[in-house]
Amino acid sequence: MAKTLNVGIIGYGFMGRTHSNAYRKVANFFDVPYKPVLKTICGLEEKEAKAFADRWGFETYATDWHEVIDDKSIDVVRCAGYWLKDAPKRGIEHICWDGCMFPNA
């Protein structure tokens, strides 16, 4: 059984949808050592973030990106529209900007 990989995605626009779908479907295309779990979606508007979480199957939502990168249960953060300048200071080792699916762990 694959280990779970808790995913946080920041941004729920086009790229947020694209990457949410990719995490949901990756095992259909590749043999991967992890089972991605859509943990938290983050966006500016609470109503839209909640609707996105419900539609795509995220466990929860946030409107402040700091909540996502500070959540120690999240293994990887996918940035789909924001800049996380202080993430390394908060202990985030793996931030995916483009083309990254899994951390280098």
Side-chain angles (χ1 to χ4, degrees), residues 55-104:
R55 178 177 183 152
W56 287 93
F58 280 83
E59 292 180 7
T60 189
Y61 66 92
T63 57
D64 180 351
W65 61 270
H66 292 96
E67 292 177 41
V68 180
I69 65 170
D70 288 341
D71 184 343
K72 298 302 179 199
S73 72
I74 294 177
D75 299 309
V76 63
V77 174
R78 175 71 185 145
C79 183
Y82 294 81
W83 295 270
L84 307 177
K85 293 184 236 176
D86 64 342
K89 291 188 291 187
R90 295 171 176 267
I92 301 299
E93 296 178 29
H94 307 287
I95 301 173
C96 297
W97 300 96
D98 292 315
C100 174
M101 287 300 288
F102 297 106
N104 298 323

Side-chain angles (χ1 to χ4, degrees), residues 36-67:
V37 174
L38 298 178
K39 189 77 171 170
T40 305
I41 186 68
C42 180
L44 295 175
E45 301 295 329
E46 183 173 7
K47 181 179 175 184
E48 285 82 2
K50 181 181 182 335
F52 191 97
D54 292 342
R55 178 177 183 152
W56 287 93
F58 280 83
E59 292 180 7
T60 189
Y61 66 92
T63 57
D64 180 351
W65 61 270
H66 292 96
E67 292 177 41

Side-chain angles (χ1 to χ4, degrees), residues 17-36:
R17 289 188 297 273
T18 300
H19 292 292
S20 296
N21 189 54
Y23 280 111
R24 286 172 66 182
K25 302 292 186 177
V26 66
N28 293 342
F29 296 94
F30 305 101
D31 292 325
V32 292
Y34 297 98
K35 178 183 184 238

